[in-house]
Amino acid sequence: MSQNQAEILQRALKREKAARKAAEKILEEKSRELYLTSQKLEQLLDEKSSQLEGVFENIVDAYVVMDIQGDFIKFNEAATKLFGYDISRDEVNVVDLVYKEDYVYAVSSFMELQTKGYFKNYEARVYTKSKEVKWVHINASMIFDKDKKPVAAQGIVRDITHQKASEEKLIESENRLASLVVNLDSGIVLEDENRNIVLTNNKFCELFNINAKPKDLVGLDCKAASEQNKVLFKNPDAFLERMRAIDTEKKVVLGDELEMVDGKILERNYTPIKIGEKSKGYLWTFTDVTLKRTYRKSLEAQKQKYYNIIANMNLGMMELDNNDQILMVNHSFEKMSGYTEAEVIGKNARALFASEEDSEILKVERQKRKEGASSSYEFKAICKKGKTRHWLVSGAPNYNIDGEIIGSIGIHLDVTETKNLELQKEKLLEKLEKSNDELQEYAHIVSHDLKSPLRSIHALVSWLKEDNQGKLDAVSLQNFGLIETTLEKMEQLITDVLNYSSVGADTSSKTEVDLNSLVNELVSILYIPDHIEIKSLHVLPNIHGDRTKLQQVFQNLISNSVKFIDKKCGSIIIDVEDLKSHYKFSIKDNGIGIEKKYHDKIFKIFHSLKKSKDSSGIGLSIVKKIINLHEGEIWLDSEPNVGTTFYFTLKK
């Protein structure tokens, strides 16, 4: 090798060493830069991981992580609050949270997560630790390792329980509203801005005789439909013209009336629907007011009829306000008072008509009207030219449509003539009462004065018989006996007349009388022969009356039956029947009976069908008078030789 070649090789080796050192230096610098970069990347990764960790820990919604087996390995604070579990202490699997009815949906969603690696908008119910049921919305995704192998799943869980409850309430409200619209008693048509039907109901179809269901009309063009249906109305052209005018003006219309060919009258309302300035549709309502309009016409006719009756009736009518100012009088009141309507309108009624002595009565009555009370009263009225009349007034409060008292209405009857007759009647009653008292006193005096000579004659006859004992023949003794019998009958007659005149003298001793007890007592003290049986078919009632007089009634009738029974087996049956306001009694016997021609005669005074010393002919007259005093009647049903039934009524 030559010297030049060796130098060349040395120089080449030197250059190579220098190049290697330069390369090593560059490599060392790059390694240092790479290390620093790696350190920065690790630090940045730690920062990002920390930031991401903080984000998931502090987000409002729940953040959960679970392994492939479904065991939860991470809950943020929101998840712990939502589910109630503490992952650091509680072992929780996703199955523990799934609501039993949503299990199939949960499994299919989990399969979708494993297949696709994610799922969105999963909504279902879950159980919390306390077994509370909540609705949740979940978006989830798989977590993969560096080899793209799934190692876990993560998800954002949002509590939508309140939202679901609100949605359900909204759906319920919509359903109720839809049901209400469908079943409304008015026809409803909701149109969109192009006048196509959006909603209608059954009543609309019924009113317009449309043989279709409401849902079948959705989307129908209303303009075209109105053209087709104009024949349903009495005036088709007017119907269409009005429809177009409403549609053009687009203003609210209320109370339009449509008369249909079939006689129905519909009331139409129209309301445009706007949101801001933009039209969103139109609402039409149709109501069948046929009955209402017919009723209104009938009411107007009735009102006119009764107005004519009021104007021409014979009772005076006056209408007042709350200040006693006269608002209206009818023609009869004008005749009663002597004033014309023009003369009294606006005048104070009390000041105009009331006498000084009766002014307070009207003041009290007006106060009653203001308090809502009705009443009747009398007062002395001063008519035109100072003429005084007696008026009977029936007053009542007058109400407006809101139920407020706005005055009073009075019906007036002139009772002046009746009042005069009442005064005359009172005077006559006073005179009659005085006469009755005098007659009663006279009857007692006459009775006493008549009985005194009878007793004297009876004593003289007794003395004559004693003084001539043994001297008088049989005929004389028989004549003396006849005199004594006649005297006894005369005294009994005087007593009966006094009793008859005294029957109605005192009516103040009425009490509650137990007739059952009264009759039982009578039967026990009266002489009843052994061959006569007395029985009551029903328990006798209690009535309000005079016990002594009622005892006379039953005693007379039972005694008469006993007296006139001629059968070997006598029977007296007492019965009662309950009528509306009276009791009907009957006393039936199987005695000698009474012929039809004597049925009225026996109740007259001094009429006896069987003359005897025991009968004066006054007993049944007294019975009739007592029954009349108790507002009853007496009659009989009898057949000779069969028996007699006396019927009589007594007011309860």
Side-chain angles (χ1 to χ4, degrees):
M1 180 180 300
S2 67
Q3 184 67 31
N4 288 334
Q5 290 177 333
E7 286 178 359
I8 291 169
L9 289 172
Q10 285 178 350
R11 285 196 300 270
L13 182 61
K14 189 176 181 180
R15 284 196 301 272
E16 187 178 341
K17 286 181 179 180
R20 187 182 300 119
K21 285 182 180 180
E24 287 177 354
K25 188 176 181 180
I26 292 170
L27 183 60
E28 184 179 346
E29 287 176 357
K30 292 298 182 182
S31 296
R32 189 181 296 113
E33 287 177 7
L34 182 61
Y35 174 75
L36 290 173
T37 301
S38 175
Q39 289 293 319
K40 287 180 181 179
L41 285 173
E42 286 182 7
Q43 184 180 355
L44 183 61
L45 181 61
D46 289 341
E47 287 176 2
K48 293 298 181 183
S49 297
S50 178
Q51 289 175 5
L52 190 60
E53 185 79 14
V55 168
F56 285 120
E57 285 295 335
N58 295 293
I59 59 174
V60 176
D61 293 326
Y63 170 68
V64 299
V65 179
M66 65 180 181
D67 61 22
I68 297 301
Q69 286 72 39
D71 293 321
F72 288 102
I73 55 178
K74 185 173 183 59
F75 271 13
N76 69 350
E77 186 178 344
T80 300
K81 187 175 179 181
L82 172 62
F83 296 110
Y85 290 101
D86 184 352
I87 294 301
S88 62
R89 296 196 305 269
D90 301 325
E91 291 185 1
V92 189
N93 189 278
V94 69
V95 176
D96 299 326
L97 305 183
V98 176
Y99 187 71
K100 59 183 180 180
E101 292 182 13
D102 297 342
Y103 186 79
V104 174
Y105 175 45
V107 170
S108 65
S109 298
F110 191 72
M111 295 298 293
E112 182 182 355
L113 176 63
Q114 290 181 324
T115 304
K116 290 184 177 181
Y118 68 92
F119 64 67
K120 294 181 179 180
N121 300 322
Y122 171 89
E123 288 186 1
R125 288 160 290 185
V126 295
Y127 290 115
T128 65
K129 185 176 182 179
S130 61
K131 294 303 177 185
E132 182 183 0
V133 178
K134 290 190 176 184
W135 277 94
V136 293
H137 173 278
I138 304 174
N139 289 328
S141 63
M142 294 297 296
I143 299 174
F144 300 93
D145 63 10
K146 62 180 181 178
D147 298 323
K148 303 297 182 180
K149 183 179 179 181
V151 292
Q154 61 182 354
I156 302 295
V157 184
R158 185 157 49 89
D159 186 351
I160 58 170
T161 306
H162 294 301
Q163 178 184 326
K164 277 290 182 181
S166 299
E167 288 176 359
E168 287 177 2
K169 287 181 180 178
L170 182 61
I171 291 169
E172 286 177 7
S173 298
E174 289 175 349
N175 289 339
R176 283 197 295 268
L177 183 60
S179 177
L180 177 65
V181 169
V182 168
N183 296 291
L184 271 176
D185 199 39
S186 296
I188 301 289
V189 177
L190 179 62
E191 303 173 354
D192 62 17
E193 60 273 22
N194 299 315
R195 295 213 56 199
N196 295 321
I197 294 178
V198 175
L199 174 69
T200 185
N201 65 351
N202 294 322
K203 192 65 180 180
F204 176 79
C205 298
E206 179 187 326
L207 290 175
F208 291 93
N209 302 317
I210 299 171
N211 189 21
K213 293 181 179 179
K215 65 180 181 180
D216 298 332
L217 303 182
V218 174
L220 189 70
D221 185 344
C222 283
K223 285 184 179 178
S226 60
E227 289 281 352
Q228 293 173 357
N229 293 324
K230 66 180 182 179
V231 294
L232 297 173
F233 300 91
K234 275 194 174 180
N235 193 333
D237 294 333
F239 164 73
L240 281 179
E241 186 178 341
R242 178 61 176 152
M243 195 86 157
R244 289 165 186 156
I246 292 172
D247 186 36
T248 301
E249 293 176 5
K250 291 184 171 49
K251 293 180 180 179
V252 173
V253 174
L254 300 174
D256 254 13
E257 281 196 5
L258 304 170
E259 199 167 350
M260 303 186 75
V261 174
D262 61 4
K264 281 202 294 268
I265 300 173
L266 303 183
E267 185 177 86
R268 174 176 58 187
N269 299 323
Y270 167 82
T271 307
I273 301 170
K274 290 185 177 181
I275 298 177
E277 294 299 319
K278 191 172 182 181
S279 174
K280 285 295 181 181
Y282 316 98
L283 177 67
W284 301 82
T285 65
F286 300 88
T287 306
D288 188 343
V289 293
T290 311
L291 188 61
K292 190 189 296 184
R293 294 295 176 265
T294 305
Y295 177 74
R296 187 173 67 184
K297 291 177 182 177
S298 174
L299 192 63
E300 289 293 335
Q302 293 292 326
K303 181 180 176 182
Q304 187 60 41
K305 182 178 78 171
Y306 287 114
Y307 180 81
N308 293 335
I309 292 172
I310 289 169
N312 297 289
M313 66 183 181
N314 290 324
L315 296 172
M317 192 180 86
M318 178 194 294
E319 183 180 347
L320 306 174
D321 64 15
N322 282 325
N323 298 316
D324 275 0
Q325 303 298 314
I326 299 173
L327 302 176
M328 185 274 286
V329 295
N330 68 348
H331 181 65
S332 294
F333 188 87
E334 290 179 323
K335 290 172 65 178
M336 284 174 59
S337 65
Y339 291 100
T340 64
E341 185 176 34
E343 290 174 317
V344 298
I345 294 296
K347 300 286 179 65
N348 185 284
R350 184 153 54 95
L352 185 61
F353 294 110
S355 62
E356 187 175 345
E357 59 190 286
D358 287 349
S359 179
E360 190 62 28
I361 294 175
L362 295 188
K363 187 176 179 181
V364 170
E365 291 297 328
R366 293 291 178 266
Q367 186 59 37
K368 288 181 182 178
R369 302 301 161 267
K370 291 178 181 178
E371 294 170 358
S374 302
S375 63
S376 297
Y377 58 95
E378 284 186 24
F379 80 102
K380 195 182 290 183
I382 309 299
C383 299
K384 196 170 183 179
K385 298 180 181 178
K387 190 176 180 182
T388 302
R389 305 291 290 178
H390 289 278
W391 287 353
L392 173 63
V393 184
S394 178
N398 190 19
Y399 298 90
N400 62 14
I401 59 174
D402 297 321
E404 300 167 336
I405 297 174
I406 57 172
S408 60
I409 296 175
I411 302 297
H412 299 68
L413 176 65
D414 192 327
V415 293
T416 308
E417 303 305 326
T418 306
K419 200 76 176 174
N420 292 336
L421 288 173
E422 283 180 359
L423 292 172
Q424 292 177 22
K425 179 182 175 183
E426 286 175 8
K427 290 177 182 178
L428 285 172
L429 286 173
E430 287 176 8
K431 191 181 290 186
L432 182 60
E433 188 176 353
K434 186 177 180 181
S435 297
N436 283 339
D437 291 341
E438 291 173 352
L439 183 61
Q440 185 71 16
E441 186 179 352
Y442 176 73
H444 280 86
I445 293 170
V446 168
S447 173
H448 179 270
D449 291 348
L450 286 175
K451 283 184 177 182
S452 292
L454 289 177
R455 292 190 184 104
S456 298
I457 294 170
H458 194 278
L460 288 172
V461 169
S462 297
W463 293 343
L464 283 172
K465 285 172 68 178
E466 288 176 6
D467 292 344
N468 294 283
Q469 192 172 8
K471 297 178 183 179
L472 298 173
D473 57 17
V475 175
S476 298
L477 288 172
Q478 185 179 1
N479 288 332
F480 276 123
L482 289 172
I483 291 171
E484 288 175 334
T485 301
T486 304
L487 289 172
E488 289 174 4
K489 188 171 183 180
M490 187 73 175
E491 186 172 3
Q492 181 63 44
L493 184 61
I494 292 168
T495 300
D496 287 345
V497 169
L498 181 61
N499 288 337
Y500 182 79
S501 66
S502 303
V503 165
D506 183 17
T507 58
S508 61
S509 58
K510 287 188 174 183
T511 58
E512 194 74 16
V513 181
D514 182 350
L515 294 180
N516 205 62
S517 174
L518 182 147
V519 170
N520 288 338
E521 288 175 14
L522 272 177
V523 171
S524 66
I525 62 175
L526 289 174
Y527 170 69
I528 310 295
D530 293 338
H531 71 286
I532 296 176
E533 179 189 15
I534 299 178
K535 64 178 179 180
S536 294
L537 295 183
H538 296 93
V539 176
L540 301 182
N542 294 358
I543 69 164
H544 190 71
D546 187 313
R547 181 179 174 84
T548 302
K549 290 182 173 62
L550 291 171
Q551 183 173 326
Q552 282 181 274
V553 171
F554 282 95
Q555 182 173 337
N556 264 289
L557 294 175
I558 293 172
S559 296
N560 275 354
S561 292
V562 170
K563 193 185 301 181
F564 296 113
I565 287 177
D566 58 348
K567 310 293 189 301
K568 287 183 180 180
C569 294
S571 171
I572 299 174
I573 299 172
I574 303 170
D575 200 8
V576 64
E577 182 182 346
D578 192 346
L579 306 180
K580 284 185 178 178
S581 59
H582 289 68
Y583 287 111
K584 176 184 171 185
F585 298 89
S586 63
I587 298 178
K588 180 180 180 182
D589 65 54
N590 61 344
I592 62 174
I594 303 171
E595 291 185 37
K596 183 77 173 176
K597 61 182 178 180
Y598 298 119
H599 284 190
D600 292 329
K601 185 179 179 183
I602 60 173
F603 294 112
K604 295 179 180 177
I605 193 168
F606 301 132
H607 283 76
S608 175
L609 299 182
K610 185 177 180 183
K611 302 297 181 182
S612 70
K613 68 174 185 177
D614 300 325
S615 177
S616 61
I618 295 179
L620 286 176
S621 301
I622 292 174
V623 167
K624 187 176 191 309
K625 196 170 184 182
I626 292 171
I627 289 171
N628 288 342
L629 285 172
H630 287 79
E631 299 181 52
E633 296 178 355
I634 184 168
W635 69 98
L636 73 151
D637 184 15
S638 183
E639 187 177 342
N641 300 318
V642 176
T644 302
T645 303
F646 279 93
Y647 297 99
F648 62 96
T649 58
L650 297 174
K651 193 168 184 181
K652 290 181 180 178

